[in-house]
Amino acid sequence: MNAEILATGDEIRTGALVDSNSAHIAEVLTMHGLEVTRHHAVGDNLNALTAILVEIAGRTDVAIVTGGLGPTRDDLTAEAMARAAGCELQLNDLAMETVTRFFRERKRTMNASNRKQAYLPQHAEVLDNPVGTAPGFVLKIDKCTFFCLPGVPYEMKKMLKDQVLPHVAALSGGVQNYCRVHTLSTFGFVESAVGEKLSGLETLFPDITVGLRAKFPEIQIKLYWKGSDEPRGMQTLEAGGAWVAEQMGDRLFSTGDQTMAAVVGDLLVARNASLAVAESCTGGLISNWLTNTPGSSNYFLMSAVTYANSAKMNILGVSADTLNSVGAVHEKTAEEMACGARRAAGADFGLATTGIAGPDGGTDEKPVGTVCIAVAGPEQTLSKRYLFAFGRRLMNKRIFAMAALDMLRRVLLNLPVL
Amino acid sequence: MNAEILATGDEIRTGALVDSNSAHIAEVLTMHGLEVTRHHAVGDNLNALTAILVEIAGRTDVAIVTGGLGPTRDDLTAEAMARAAGCELQLNDLAMETVTRFFRERKRTMNASNRKQAYLPQHAEVLDNPVGTAPGFVLKIDKCTFFCLPGVPYEMKKMLKDQVLPHVAALSGGVQNYCRVHTLSTFGFVESAVGEKLSGLETLFPDITVGLRAKFPEIQIKLYWKGSDEPRGMQTLEAGGAWVAEQMGDRLFSTGDQTMAAVVGDLLVARNASLAVAESCTGGLISNWLTNTPGSSNYFLMSAVTYANSAKMNILGVSADTLNSVGAVHEKTAEEMACGARRAAGADFGLATTGIAGPDGGTDEKPVGTVCIAVAGPEQTLSKRYLFAFGRRLMNKRIFAMAALDMLRRVLLNLPVL
């Protein structure tokens, strides 16, 4: 079955609000075997809304509409649906009960305007909203079954799961279709290089479609499989995933959608090792990423974000000689920082970054985008200088932090450092 | 002029990626007086893409298309545009030059697949992409002028501003309509409380419409004005903004869209003061936010992200007695951390957080969501305990970090601490 998604509301139309509902709905429908073909958004305008509903009604099997069910004048979904269906709005007793119950249970006074929420198109079937004031409804127009849900994400998600999905399963008449996805995460190739490395995939695995997703600076490879024989699908995806992993080599850091920081965390846990970080140009981003993972306190001891040279000396014991002779941005300084962090925290590994994130501070010798990264471990300390050409401060911080975590990952796995 | 927006890509169609590009484009076009009527999204499917382009071409004046300009096989925008226009793809010399230049300037090798990016529909006019490999293009089909831009947000935004807007202004033939917006940023009220405080606004200022935008944990208030008399509009917005500022009191932290970290940075610069941070539960997020602002090295000296108690003692000089008697999460510990960071870095101010971000580690006495924040300054040290009830680790980190920066802002401005 094909499905379309329609988000309504002037905030979305004018861009004051990013529509995240539609992505959620698309993901849920796709996982349940529906083919989502289009997303749309229109504003709080009766004619515009009616027109697009009529178009959708003639084109697809299932449509999910969000927003416009509230009590105010600019909530127009029920009226537009009635027009598109060529019927009238009428007071729906079940909807009225739902609205009344919401206010009674919360001991809140019901406004006159809330009564409006109980007027639904004739023949519409109420969808209960246990967590908000606006009931939803189902209505078939032409060949399409419309599910109208509130725009509040929490209410919408609950109703989608509890009421829309069983309804949709019934519509499909018992034929179960699945869509399964296998995600692999890489760092170190640009998108076009990943695309080229995967060029044989669709010949070898004709049942798999592939999508690349750039989550700067990593690139995720997503393998999709669709069909009714789920065990076969999972086997196919596993074989396809193994082939992709071979193409990507050590630039694959997760055969899932784990973050690089979580992967490094798992490697540290497996080795029963602890980590201390010394950050200059990454400004705390590495430790922010590391501590986004629950349980990171098991291996992450500290990060010293030493922006000032005095802090590099006082906290990390970087020598004044080094800073004077080679400067703050240098492999030697990075090594002293990594060793200093490791020593100060009594950690097994030290990881350090020092570089120039920009927009200012670059020189001919060390332009913006230069970063020196060092890893200090129980056996050896190594360091390397990189030049990334992304220009913007926030992008530089991200790729510096990612490159640093990747260097540590490579050391922990005895892989060559890039 | 009417405008529609089309996002392309299977990630968006299947919900793997939330489309934030369309909201940005809608906002920019609306600000420049265009009436955005519809947003759409379709996947990487030549027929689906061509069909919707043909529909749009017959309906609207201007369309912005994002995505599908990359080097891989699932990048189909140019081909679909050519089909919709009923013409052929051909090698565009200017586009080829753009692609070649990108690789030359970055001393990177150009892949064969990158050549594909230089094939554009006949009669298409190239839009230079100074920051990425994929050039965009303009093409008129039927009554509609299409602007095809890359899906990478940074590239898209730059090209929209520098190239699409001047083009659109020329299309409008000199009739200028404006939409102006005034943004104010607040922290400390929930959205419904902000809404209530502003309830008189639209009566007092009938030409202004107001929108609230939750950028957790801050809430931005956006005042919109539309019309042709721009100076009058600016005056109206200024008066409306002053009224809003009065309603919000000291919970307003920016009469613009500055981040809290940038506001604190400006206050430190104005006082010629420096800052050292000691973070536990915020895990580097405060220093990451502070260092996102260019020039932060002028006041930010260091952050010690001391997850382990040993690091709190060794780096910050927190006493073992304190940790043993009151524990890591306590006002007294926060104060010793703030003083320790200030002393270790020789900074004017110290700011510290220690708390429980979750999901584990909470107790009856100190549940998940508890945070102790301290500010140490030249004259005094103060601290406070808060309990936030958002539950999720990443949300807790954000609100803890925001509350800490807000406390420092209040100290720097001699405002009462919340």
Side-chain angles (χ1 to χ4, degrees), chain A residues 241-300:
Chain A
W243 186 86
V244 169
E246 209 178 297
Q247 308 308 306
M248 291 299 119
D250 61 18
R251 280 163 167 95
L252 183 87
F253 65 85
S254 167
T255 55
D257 59 359
Q258 266 198 306
T259 63
M260 178 70 88
V263 168
V264 167
D266 283 353
L267 291 172
L268 289 166
V269 168
R271 277 153 193 72
N272 197 22
S274 59
L275 173 65
V277 182
E279 305 187 56
S280 187
C281 53
T282 49
L285 183 57
I286 294 176
S287 61
N288 185 40
W289 280 350
L290 286 165
T291 62
N292 280 347
T293 306
S296 42
S297 56
N298 291 326
Y299 46 84
F300 174 69

Side-chain angles (χ1 to χ4, degrees), chain B residues 97-404:
Chain B
E97 221 176 282
T98 308
V99 177
T100 315
R101 186 197 60 204
F102 179 88
F103 285 92
R104 192 178 54 232
E105 282 177 358
R106 281 155 186 84
K107 298 187 174 55
R108 278 162 53 184
T109 318
M110 193 168 140
N111 297 313
S113 61
N114 290 113
R115 273 182 70 90
K116 170 179 170 298
Q117 297 179 298
Y119 281 83
L120 301 184
Q122 241 179 328
H123 310 302
E125 186 186 324
V126 177
L127 293 173
D128 190 28
N129 179 352
V131 287
T133 66
F137 62 92
V138 193
L139 184 65
K140 192 165 181 186
I141 306 179
D142 208 344
K143 62 178 274 206
C144 176
T145 306
F146 285 84
F147 296 87
C148 299
L149 305 179
V152 180
Y154 170 59
E155 300 176 18
M156 178 279 292
K157 286 178 189 175
K158 195 166 169 53
M159 292 169 74
L160 180 69
K161 177 165 168 280
D162 294 346
Q163 291 174 76
V164 176
L165 288 180
H167 219 300
V168 167
L171 286 177
S172 74
V175 184
Q176 245 326 4
N177 258 302
Y178 300 93
C179 176
R180 289 293 172 257
V181 61
H182 183 36
T183 302
L184 302 104
S185 300
T186 72
F187 172 68
F189 284 131
V190 294
E191 193 169 345
S192 58
V194 174
E196 275 171 33
K197 297 240 165 228
L198 299 184
S199 62
L201 177 74
E202 290 180 11
T203 317
L204 282 167
F205 301 92
D207 293 350
I208 292 180
T209 51
V210 62
L212 300 185
R213 187 168 173 179
K215 286 176 70 178
F216 183 82
E218 62 179 272
I219 292 172
Q220 288 190 341
I221 300 163
K222 290 191 169 253
L223 307 181
Y224 298 93
W225 171 91
K226 254 188 208 171
S228 56
D229 184 354
E230 202 201 2
R232 214 191 109 234
M234 298 308 281
Q235 270 178 13
T236 307
L237 282 179
E238 200 171 310
W243 185 86
V244 169
E246 211 178 295
Q247 307 308 305
M248 290 299 119
D250 61 17
R251 278 163 168 96
L252 184 87
F253 65 84
S254 166
T255 55
D257 59 358
Q258 264 198 307
T259 63
M260 180 70 89
V263 167
V264 167
D266 284 353
L267 291 172
L268 290 166
V269 168
R271 278 152 193 73
N272 198 22
S274 58
L275 173 66
V277 182
E279 305 188 56
S280 186
C281 53
T282 50
L285 183 56
I286 295 177
S287 62
N288 185 39
W289 280 350
L290 285 165
T291 61
N292 280 348
T293 307
S296 42
S297 57
N298 292 325
Y299 46 85
F300 173 70
L301 302 185
M302 71 133 196
S303 174
V305 185
T306 51
Y307 242 45
N309 277 348
S310 58
K312 290 185 183 76
M313 295 189 283
N314 297 343
I315 310 276
L316 299 170
V318 174
S319 79
D321 275 1
T322 302
L323 289 170
N324 288 333
S325 59
V326 298
V329 179
H330 194 279
E331 293 88 333
K332 188 159 161 38
T333 311
E335 288 188 16
E336 290 187 23
M337 289 170 68
C339 293
R342 181 173 179 264
R343 192 175 51 236
D348 299 302
F349 288 91
L351 174 65
T353 60
T354 178
I356 301 149
D360 305 315
T363 63
D364 283 349
E365 197 205 341
K366 297 171 185 172
V368 168
T370 304
V371 63
C372 296
I373 300 173
V375 174
E379 280 135 39
Q380 55 160 346
T381 299
L382 59 89
S383 63
K384 201 149 171 187
R385 183 185 299 213
Y386 302 86
L387 176 60
F388 296 106
F390 294 97
R392 287 169 53 211
R393 181 178 180 85
L394 269 57
M395 289 176 95
N396 278 335
K397 282 180 69 178
R398 289 182 73 88
I399 198 159
F400 294 175
M402 196 72 161

